[in-house]
Amino acid sequence: MTWVEKYRPNIFEDIKGQDEAIEKIKNFIEEFNLSKITGKNYKKALILHGSPGVGKTTITHVMAKEINSEIFELNASDLRNRDKINNTLKPAIEQISLVKKSKLILVDEVDGISIVDRGGLDALLQLIDSSYYPIIITANNIWDKRLSSLRKKAEMVKLKELSYNTIKNVMNDILKKENIQIDEDSLKRIAIKARGDLRAAINDLQTLSKLKDVSSFTPDERNKEIDIFNALRMIFKDRPTNELLNLFDSVNLSIDEIILWVEENIPSEYNGVELARAYDLLSKTDVFRGRIHKQQYWRFLIYENIFLSYGIASSKKNFRTGFTGYKRPSRILKIWLHNQKTAKKKSIAQKYAKYVHVGEKRALHEFPLIKNILRNENIRKELKLSDEETEYLKNN
């Protein structure tokens, strides 16, 4: 048996470093049970999200044991289409448990759902509304655009990455139970390289325990992506450290989008002198970005990252505590709306150009004149304009 399975927690007291999340999960279950008595409209689903290895699935299984519930588990492969959901999940939420007091539904790693979704996600949303049992959903990255409707439907609880000390303490407890001694330096290396992933750390520890020469073992560093919200928290709340210099390399967004996120949320954390310094450093980021693209001086990338990460973090006098809800950049929405308008204009121009045998550039240049021609309904039908394209012509 792997140590991950052997030492998997059975009660909440065994779970380390996630006290706040556990309390929120308990509250969710209490409110769900209360809603069946009072009829009050509480949410029926809870999303546990966070990096791999922080304990999302484990906490759900422990919760099922704590409340004496049977657990019914689905994963992303079961969410391929509507029929699959209705044939598996629907019976589970309609039937009572024959062996336990109640039932708990676990939908694991929902962000792994196939891009070619044949109605599975929509079916899940409908079943959440009708479920007689609480549904817990786990995800590594819940901020995928496809999951926006699911986020609105459920409570959300973020599981934080475990600290280096927490991981090291868990490993020491395991070594005591196994009656094995490993030097402190080796444990430090494993804890640091795990980057908050307890499961990975325990696997590395078990591998190390079987080696005769522990000095030859070098654990792999987990190159984990982090979401933009966690990156912003590290920049705005933590003290500036050298680790921040490469922070945005782990964020799955372009540097242009990251700059917009930082710009939007600086006023949420800083004011006065701190605010002025942060915006000054953000402007320097933009200056270097312009020089890089204009002159192809790629060596300036290091300065761009320094100003955007370490620089912004160093703008504050003291580190911050507490929760801040970071907002999506309003400029991204404006850009998107503009692009949507441009896309419709281009598609209309393409259809017109093809029909009258002229170039697309000419059609775009003469678009003000073409709009008047296309007010004729028969011509619009001839060009087979979509409802969206027709609506665009009416409003522009």
Side-chain angles (χ1 to χ4, degrees), residues 200-360:
I202 294 173
N203 285 332
D204 285 344
L205 182 68
Q206 187 171 10
T207 301
L208 182 64
S209 69
K210 297 176 180 178
L211 299 178
K212 292 181 179 179
D213 181 14
V214 296
S215 63
S216 63
F217 179 72
T218 304
D220 292 330
E221 184 165 3
R222 272 66 190 182
N223 296 317
K224 298 191 302 184
E225 285 186 359
I226 61 173
D227 62 54
I228 185 63
F229 295 96
N230 278 331
L232 291 176
R233 288 187 189 99
M234 293 171 71
I235 293 294
F236 291 136
K237 293 189 180 295
D238 293 345
R239 293 185 178 88
T241 64
N242 289 335
E243 293 177 1
L244 293 181
L245 294 175
N246 300 315
L247 173 65
F248 292 124
D249 293 340
S250 302
V251 178
N252 190 21
L253 289 175
S254 70
I255 197 69
D256 291 319
E257 289 178 284
I258 292 170
I259 289 172
L260 290 175
W261 276 92
V262 174
E263 176 193 44
E264 182 78 22
N265 289 287
I266 285 176
S268 300
E269 295 283 10
Y270 298 162
N271 54 56
V273 175
E274 294 178 340
L275 182 67
R277 174 169 166 74
Y279 273 129
D280 178 57
L281 290 166
L282 185 64
S283 70
K284 286 183 170 64
T285 302
D286 194 47
V287 168
F288 274 97
R289 183 143 191 79
R291 290 175 182 174
I292 290 167
H293 286 275
K294 184 177 181 180
Q295 302 174 23
Q296 303 293 293
Y297 287 171
W298 302 110
R299 64 180 182 272
F300 284 165
L301 280 171
I302 186 173
Y303 298 108
E304 181 183 67
N305 284 329
I306 288 172
F307 289 134
L308 189 58
S309 56
Y310 190 100
I312 302 292
S314 66
S315 299
K316 58 183 174 293
K317 296 178 181 178
N318 302 300
F319 75 96
R320 302 286 200 272
T321 58
F323 174 78
T324 302
Y326 298 121
K327 296 179 289 187
R328 296 177 179 277
S330 55
R331 278 214 283 164
I332 287 181
L333 177 60
K334 291 175 183 176
I335 291 168
W336 181 82
L337 290 172
H338 173 74
N339 289 341
Q340 290 296 101
K341 286 185 177 181
T342 304
K344 290 184 179 67
K345 180 179 177 180
K346 284 183 177 179
S347 65
I348 295 169
Q350 286 172 349
K351 291 178 180 179
Y352 179 85
K354 185 177 181 180
Y355 192 80
V356 302
H357 305 290
V358 299
E360 184 183 331

Side-chain angles (χ1 to χ4, degrees), residues 47-51 56 139-140 142-143 156-159 227:
I47 296 174
L48 297 179
H49 63 105
S51 303
K56 300 183 291 293
N140 296 326
I142 195 59
W143 303 110
M156 295 199 14
V157 175
K158 168 74 174 176
L159 269 68
D227 62 54

